[in-house]
Amino acid sequence: MPLLEKIVISDFRNIQMQELEFSPNINCISGNNGEGKTNLLDAIYYMSMTKSAFSTSDRFNFRHGTEEFSMSATYRMDNGLSSRFSLKVNAKGDKKLRRDDKPYSRISEHIGTLPIVLVSPSDSAMVSDSGEERRRFVNSVLSQMDKSYLSALQQYNRLLLQRNKMLKDNNPDRSLLEVIDMRMASLAEPVYNARKKFVEDLNPVVSQYYHELSGGMEKVSIEYESDLSKDSLDQILASTYERDLILRYTGSGIQRDDFIFKMDGWQLRRCGSQGQQKSFLVSLKFAQYEIMKRSYRFAPALLLDDVFDKLDMGRISNLLKMVSTDEFGQIFITDSNKVRLAGIVDNLTRDRAYFETVSGTFRRIDDEQA
C-alpha cells in the first residue's frame, strides 16, 4: 500500500511552509480549533484527489495574500520503492501535477493512485443537505476504484453542459439534441450500474459497522433513487423534451440521482439524533474503506478529522477498537484535546507520531511531551 513518508506544503490555507515526516502507522495532530489541523489533512487529501475535500473552488485554498500554492509528497509504493508527487496550482486555474518529475497527460490519470478515505465533521452535510453531497461522496469513491466510471462521468457532464446551453436557445436543433441524448444515455448506463452495485455492496457493510459502533440498537440502510430505474435515458429525455424546453435545463438524468439514508425504515435526517447520525456517517466511511480495501487488496490511507466530536465514550471506545486492528493501514487523527488523543492512541500502539499545530505551524513532539 502507498505510505506517506514526507510532505512539503507551501501557501496552502494557513500553512506558509512546512516539511513533515510521518509514521507508517498512526499520526496524531493536536491543536486548538482554527490552528490548521484540518488544513494538513486536506493537503494530504489534495495529493490523492487533486482537489480539496472541503471547498469546491481553489480560490479558497490560497494562503491570504498569495496567488499560488504547491505541495510535494514522497510515498513508499507497493513495490517498496519511493515515488515523489508534486502539485502546483495558481490563481489562473492552472494545475500542474507530476510523478517523479514526469507530468501527467491528464490530471484524472492520477485519481486512484493514492487511495484515501476522509472522515470529517463536514460529512454531516450528506445527511442534512441536498443529493449533490451524497452524489459527490459516491463519485469520489467510485472514481478512485474505476477509471472507466470517472471517464464516463466526465464525458456525461460535458454533454450535459452542452445540452443545457442548447436548451437556453429559443429554438434548439432537435435533431442535434437527439444525438446528444443518445450519447448521454450510453454514458449514463455504466454510471447507473456502477452506483447500483456500489449501494448493494455498501449496505451490508454499513450495517455491520453501525452494529459494532453503536451496539446494534438500530437498523440502517441506503436506498438508491435514479430516473434510470424506470427507463433508458434517451427515452426519458425524449418524453420530457417539452418540459426541459420550458425549464431551459435538463430535468432528468444521473445528475439527479440520490442516495437515501434510512434508520429503521425512516429517513435518517428526520429521525436520527446527532449521535446516531454521526455514528451512521462514521460507519458509512468505514464501509467505504472496507470496499476500497477489497478492490485494491490493500488498505487506503485513513484521515480521521475530529472524529470524536458528538460521539459518547462508549462509541469512541468501539470506534478505536475497530481502527486498531491489523485491517487498517496508515492513519492520521486530529483532536483538539491532546491529552485525550494521547491517552487513547498510547493504549493501541507504540508505533505512532505526535504533532502540535499553532497558526499553521506544525511541530513533532516526543513521547514525554505527548
Side-chain angles (χ1 to χ4, degrees), residues 68-272:
E68 180 178 279
F69 68 81
S70 63
M71 54 186 77
S72 64
T74 303
Y75 285 81
R76 178 73 61 178
M77 305 303 288
D78 296 346
N79 57 10
L81 302 177
S82 291
S83 274
R84 180 177 175 271
F85 299 86
S86 62
L87 181 69
K88 184 177 289 186
V89 182
N90 64 31
K92 295 179 181 178
D94 297 329
K95 187 176 291 187
K96 296 179 180 178
L97 177 65
R98 294 173 178 267
R99 177 174 182 174
D100 296 325
D101 294 324
K102 295 179 181 178
Y104 283 88
S105 57
R106 291 193 307 272
I107 296 286
S108 60
E109 291 178 359
H110 175 71
I111 307 303
T113 302
L114 307 171
I116 199 163
V117 176
L118 169 67
V119 185
S120 163
S122 66
D123 294 337
S124 61
M126 283 198 285
V127 172
S128 59
D129 289 1
S130 68
E132 182 178 358
E133 293 294 330
R134 294 180 285 279
R135 285 192 300 276
R136 184 178 291 125
F137 162 70
V138 172
N139 289 338
S140 74
V141 181
L142 293 176
S143 294
Q144 291 188 74
M145 295 192 299
D146 186 352
K147 290 189 182 298
S148 65
Y149 176 92
L150 178 58
S151 176
L153 186 63
Q154 289 175 329
Q155 292 179 68
Y156 177 92
N157 286 335
R158 284 194 288 268
L159 288 168
L160 178 63
L161 285 173
Q162 185 180 349
R163 189 178 197 272
N164 286 341
K165 186 177 180 181
M166 290 180 66
L167 288 170
K168 288 179 170 60
D169 296 337
N170 290 328
N171 188 25
D173 185 335
R174 180 70 186 268
S175 61
L176 179 55
L177 275 174
E178 288 175 352
V179 172
I180 291 174
D181 292 355
M182 290 180 64
R183 181 61 181 145
M184 286 176 65
S186 69
L187 294 164
E189 193 67 25
V191 171
Y192 167 74
N193 289 331
R195 289 175 175 177
K196 184 178 179 182
K197 184 179 186 304
F198 177 60
V199 172
E200 290 171 355
D201 293 343
L202 197 61
N203 259 313
V205 191
V206 172
S207 296
Q208 180 61 31
Y209 273 119
Y210 189 88
H211 176 80
E212 292 177 18
L213 184 59
S214 68
M217 298 301 293
E218 309 88 19
K219 291 186 178 180
V220 296
S221 62
I222 304 168
E223 292 182 4
Y224 176 34
E225 293 184 350
S226 177
D227 293 328
L228 270 69
S229 64
K230 308 178 187 76
D231 207 341
S232 64
L233 183 60
D234 54 335
Q235 294 296 319
I236 294 170
L237 294 178
S239 66
T240 59
Y241 174 70
E242 297 298 333
R243 186 193 68 180
D244 287 353
L245 272 182
I246 296 170
L247 294 173
R248 305 183 80 185
Y249 67 84
T250 306
S252 303
I254 55 171
Q255 75 278 7
R256 298 182 62 82
D257 284 1
D258 205 349
F259 304 86
I260 311 302
F261 302 155
K262 292 196 168 183
M263 177 178 291
D264 292 334
W266 299 87
Q267 284 202 31
L268 180 64
R269 66 178 177 183
R270 299 186 187 279
C271 70

Side-chain angles (χ1 to χ4, degrees), residues 322-337:
M322 292 154 58
V323 172
S324 62
T325 68
D326 294 335
E327 300 295 312
F328 288 83
Q330 192 174 28
I331 300 172
F332 299 82
I333 309 177
T334 70
D335 193 4
S336 57
N337 189 326

